[in-house]
Amino acid sequence: MQVVILAAGQSSRFWPLNNEHKSLMKIMGKPLIWHVIKGLERTKGIKEIIIVQGKNKVLEKELKQYKLSQRVKYVVQTKPTGTGDAILKVKKLIKGQFFVLNAERIDIEYYVEPILKKFKRLKEKNGLILVAGKTNTPWLFGILKVKKDKVIDLIEKPKPGKEPSNLKIVGVYFLPKEFLSYLEKVPSNPYSLEDALLAYAKEKDERVVMVNRDTLALKFPWHIFDSNRFLINRFLKPKISKKAKIAKSAKIEGKVFIGDNTRVFENAVIKGPCYIGKNCIIGNNALVREYVNLEDNVLIGANAEVVRSIFQEGVSVHSGFFGDSIFDKDCKIGAGTITANVRLDRGNIKSVVKGEKIDTDLKSFGTIIGQNTKIGIHSSLMPGVLIGSNVLIGPNSLVRKNIENNTLFYSEFKEVRNKNLK
């Protein structure tokens, strides 16, 4: 059986974590797409994986450093014109019925077996099968109208109150080779896959596999919190490297992984589950707790508290509070910085994405910061704020709204001096 992984999109809704494809964000030392491939390796019957990547071929370069037992091929989509066009790029390689899935589908092994069971029961062996799950935000997804398990209609991002159901397309498809001809017939556009799926449903047999468990999404950057929790719960194995240096007065509790050459200083406390990579520093009296993921070369300074946060390689933070936040590579955060992660009224936190205010459905959410951003001492970041890459934020700044890439931002204040004091 062949599997096509779609990983060539711009991930525009994933800003500020979209300098690279979103599937290259790392959890527990490996990019998300690596976790997808390992899930496929644990699934019987998968013989070949085809990855559709962008023209810069970053995914291919990244994955070459890992030993993958599955046979992997790469196809380039030079322009990210939609998932339909991406699937057509692999047409010459497709031999028969095949899977298509999004590159962040780290829970893929839960779906393959139910799909294949349903396929065996179908009378028509050119049937098409979708995976669907329930959602509380149907206006963010492709929504299905079904009769029993047969697809009747499909509406992409319906307006609130106009949705035909609460069943979203999860991003796993089992397609007959014949479906490619339907894709070729519809006009090329960002939603050509959905158009072709609807056209196929009207003429052929298109079925749904219902999923009762929570389905992971990765439309917006805060969705990585769910991916992080899923991977840590399922795969984190407690281990402290013999090459790590742990102070005698440091306390480590619960499931904790600590990599080579990491140093944990006096009176630091680490409460699992947590993953800490290689060459990290956890300073004196620091507190690291609950689903923290620190990639290689991360510095947590003295007296800092980090909770339910994800730091990519090379991040440095000093004293302060960092809760429910994501920092991309090489961010440097000054001492005394605070990420507020709860609203005063304890309501859901909203973020602005592409000019639209989105309810994150989170009551605890700090900030998300792109690559190589630097923040001066004693800065405060409000809940749900998104900050771009290569941003400089001056000391004592209060950040209430998003800050775009390559911006110098600071809060203005005046110095007042009185020379007449006795």
Side-chain angles (χ1 to χ4, degrees):
M1 194 73 66
Q2 293 174 296
V3 176
V4 177
I5 301 177
L6 304 176
Q10 290 180 318
S11 308
S12 59
R13 288 174 297 188
F14 215 67
W15 181 86
L17 303 178
N18 63 344
N19 281 339
E20 299 171 341
H21 192 270
K22 59 188 176 183
S23 67
L24 289 176
M25 291 293 294
K26 287 185 177 180
I27 301 294
M28 295 197 301
K30 302 291 193 305
L32 291 174
I33 192 169
W34 180 91
H35 292 288
V36 176
I37 294 171
K38 297 305 285 187
L40 291 170
E41 288 181 356
R42 292 188 291 270
T43 304
K44 294 180 180 179
I46 303 301
K47 301 299 183 182
E48 183 178 71
I49 297 171
I50 305 168
I51 298 176
V52 183
Q53 61 179 334
K55 62 180 180 180
N56 56 14
K57 300 183 180 181
V58 175
L59 278 96
E60 185 174 353
K61 296 172 186 175
E62 174 69 25
L63 290 173
K64 275 186 176 179
Q65 65 183 288
Y66 306 109
K67 294 180 180 180
L68 300 172
S69 61
Q70 287 285 358
R71 183 183 177 191
V72 179
K73 292 182 178 179
Y74 297 91
V75 173
V76 173
Q77 184 187 26
T78 54
K79 294 182 180 180
T81 54
T83 53
D85 177 69
I87 295 171
L88 287 175
K89 297 298 181 188
V90 305
K91 181 181 178 181
K92 293 181 179 179
L93 299 176
I94 297 302
K95 300 169 185 176
Q97 198 91 12
F98 64 106
F99 284 95
V100 172
L101 52 116
N102 296 332
E104 66 274 8
R105 197 75 273 153
I106 57 176
D107 53 353
I108 182 59
E109 59 191 293
Y110 290 106
Y111 307 125
V112 172
E113 185 177 349
I115 289 173
L116 294 178
K117 282 184 178 179
K118 182 174 282 287
F119 181 68
K120 289 179 181 179
R121 294 196 297 265
L122 293 179
K123 293 180 181 180
E124 296 183 29
K125 292 308 176 185
N126 61 343
L128 189 155
I129 300 175
L130 306 176
V131 176
K134 294 181 180 180
T135 177
N136 296 323
T137 56
W139 50 89
L140 299 178
F141 302 94
I143 299 299
L144 297 169
K145 181 180 180 180
V146 300
K147 185 176 181 180
K148 292 186 178 179
D149 68 339
K150 186 175 176 62
V151 177
I152 305 300
D153 200 1
L154 188 163
I155 300 175
E156 180 66 25
K157 297 182 179 65
K159 293 181 179 180
K162 301 294 184 181
E163 58 272 7
S165 74
N166 65 342
L167 298 179
K168 68 175 181 179
I169 297 176
V170 169
V172 180
Y173 314 87
F174 193 49
L175 306 175
K177 188 174 182 179
E178 178 189 10
F179 177 74
L180 297 174
S181 64
Y182 282 76
L183 264 180
E184 290 175 320
K185 292 176 184 177
V186 299
S188 179
N189 67 84
Y191 302 113
S192 57
L193 173 59
E194 289 75 13
D195 293 342
L197 289 171
L198 182 56
Y200 198 90
K202 291 179 178 179
E203 297 181 9
K204 300 284 185 177
D205 192 21
E206 188 167 319
R207 302 284 174 159
V208 167
V209 167
M210 295 295 303
V211 178
N212 294 322
R213 59 187 299 278
D214 290 337
T215 57
L216 298 171
L218 210 61
K219 284 183 176 291
F220 300 109
W222 54 84
H223 287 157
I224 290 187
F225 291 124
D226 291 332
S227 299
N228 179 62
R229 186 178 290 267
F230 172 85
L231 290 171
I232 285 178
N233 282 342
R234 182 115 199 268
F235 299 112
L236 181 67
K237 295 181 180 179
K239 179 183 177 181
I240 298 176
S241 170
K242 293 181 180 179
K243 296 181 180 179
K245 295 181 180 180
I246 314 296
K248 291 183 179 179
S249 58
K251 294 183 179 179
I252 300 174
E253 303 174 0
K255 293 175 63 176
V256 175
F257 179 97
I258 297 178
D260 293 348
N261 303 314
T262 284
R263 292 182 288 169
V264 180
F265 282 55
E266 287 76 11
N267 299 311
V269 176
I270 303 173
K271 292 178 176 285
C274 293
Y275 173 90
I276 301 172
K278 300 176 183 178
N279 305 309
C280 295
I281 293 177
I282 311 298
N284 300 69
N285 304 303
L287 173 58
V288 177
R289 62 183 177 90
E290 299 171 26
Y291 294 99
V292 168
N293 183 94
L294 307 180
E295 294 299 321
D296 296 347
N297 303 301
V298 168
L299 165 66
I300 306 298
N303 304 304
E305 180 178 359
V306 183
V307 56
R308 296 183 300 273
S309 292
I310 302 166
F311 293 176
Q312 298 294 285
E313 297 101 318
V315 170
S316 295
V317 301
H318 297 276
S319 62
F321 175 75
F322 307 94
D324 302 284
S325 296
I326 304 171
F327 295 172
D328 208 343
K329 297 176 185 176
D330 299 317
C331 289
K332 311 299 179 187
I333 313 298
T337 295
I338 301 293
T339 62
N341 63 336
V342 178
R343 285 172 45 145
L344 285 175
D345 62 4
R346 299 311 191 254
N348 283 1
I349 294 168
K350 297 178 174 63
S351 283
V352 176
V353 177
K354 300 179 73 171
E356 180 182 359
K357 185 174 285 189
I358 304 293
D359 186 343
T360 67
D361 202 31
L362 298 172
K363 294 190 182 298
S364 295
F365 174 27
T367 187
I368 298 178
I369 303 178
Q371 293 182 8
N372 196 39
T373 283
K374 298 175 176 62
I375 300 179
I377 61 171
H378 297 295
S379 293
S380 300
L381 314 177
M382 291 297 99
V385 164
L386 308 180
I387 299 171
S389 297
N390 303 307
V391 172
L392 295 177
I393 297 177
N396 277 316
S397 292
L398 174 61
V399 182
R400 294 178 176 270
K401 298 180 180 179
N402 292 358
I403 301 176
E404 298 301 315
N405 297 345
N406 307 304
T407 300
L408 169 62
F409 176 94
Y410 57 92
S411 294
E412 188 175 10
F413 63 92
K414 292 182 179 181
E415 283 190 358
V416 178
R417 301 180 185 230
N418 189 334
K419 296 182 179 180
N420 297 319
L421 290 177
K422 293 182 180 180

